[in-house]
Amino acid sequence: MNRPDHNDANPLVGIIMGSTSDWETMEHASNILAGLKVPHETRIVSAHRTPDLLFEYASAAEQRGLEVIIAGAGGAAHLPGMTASKTVLPVLGVPVESKILKGLDSLLSIAQMPGGIPVGTLAIGKAGAINAALLAAAILGAKHPEIREALRKFRVEQSRRRTARVHARAGRLSARPAFPLS
Ligand code: RP5
């Protein structure tokens, strides 16, 4: 899939992004939510190019049943902050890596909100998108026990996979002679 068109019934999370070019990053958030079976939707909504649509989306989000919004944008990334200004739902911002400043511009635009309108800011790029989804699940877990349990399973499985990888690596190392003969 090369553009966001995910539409679960009764979504709890809305993933929005400023451009189709952000999908490469934001699809990681969608994949994590899908794995945790968190109903969500994905949309292109730009603070600069479609501001009316952004206001409409953010204003209606709560009434539509959304409980968390994840907003990804790059460059002069106003999308998460503007979204947060139009809803009391938690908004998680993902700074998308930009070409010229490598996402530092996106990070600062999203993180440096003036006091009064918070945006929970994640890391730049793929890691931020993954963590935004995991944090959304953690927030939803307070009300939806099945999501909390799915998150718990994810964490256990992640540790198990990492441990297995470390053991496999240690096994490969110990199979090597300490002083390889040439
Ligand atoms: C931002 O401008 C978008 O979030 C995107 O990261 C960046 C570049 O957009 P395109 O020129 O690729 O559409 O609004």
Side-chain angles (χ1 to χ4, degrees):
M1 195 201 312
N2 54 15
R3 50 170 299 119
D5 61 358
H6 193 95
N7 276 304
D8 288 329
N10 306 316
L12 294 175
V13 180
I15 300 178
I16 57 176
M17 63 211 84
S19 167
T20 42
S21 64
D22 297 328
W23 177 240
E24 195 182 323
T25 301
M26 298 309 292
E27 69 177 323
H28 296 288
S30 178
N31 291 342
I32 292 283
L33 291 179
L36 296 173
K37 298 197 176 10
V38 175
H40 66 284
E41 63 183 19
T42 58
R43 298 267 189 286
I44 304 290
V45 181
S46 168
H48 306 107
R49 293 168 178 152
T50 58
D52 294 341
L53 177 62
L54 159 62
F55 270 44
E56 212 177 282
Y57 185 90
S59 313
E62 190 181 348
Q63 214 185 353
R64 290 182 52 235
L66 294 179
E67 295 184 13
V68 181
I69 296 177
I70 297 174
H78 295 123
L79 181 67
M82 289 304 295
T83 302
S85 76
K86 293 295 286 180
T87 180
V88 293
L89 294 179
V91 175
L92 306 179
V94 179
V96 170
E97 188 173 333
S98 54
K99 280 201 188 96
I100 297 177
L101 297 178
K102 305 291 172 216
L104 189 57
D105 43 356
S106 326
L107 175 66
L108 297 178
S109 303
I110 296 174
Q112 289 301 109
M113 286 296 288
I117 303 291
V119 170
T121 308
L122 284 302
I124 298 170
K126 177 180 172 181
I130 290 172
N131 283 345
L134 293 172
L135 191 52
I139 293 167
L140 293 167
K143 177 175 163 195
H144 304 272
E146 72 286 3
I147 296 179
R148 175 148 292 173
E149 287 320 304
L151 185 58
R152 206 185 305 280
K153 266 175 84 179
F154 172 93
R155 297 279 284 265
V156 168
E157 178 61 17
Q158 176 170 255
S159 299
R160 196 197 56 73
R161 263 186 281 125
R162 180 51 55 106
T163 310
R165 218 178 300 158
V166 169
H167 285 160
R169 187 156 187 275
R172 277 200 305 277
L173 287 177
S174 66
R176 265 189 227 158
F179 298 100
L181 302 171
S182 53

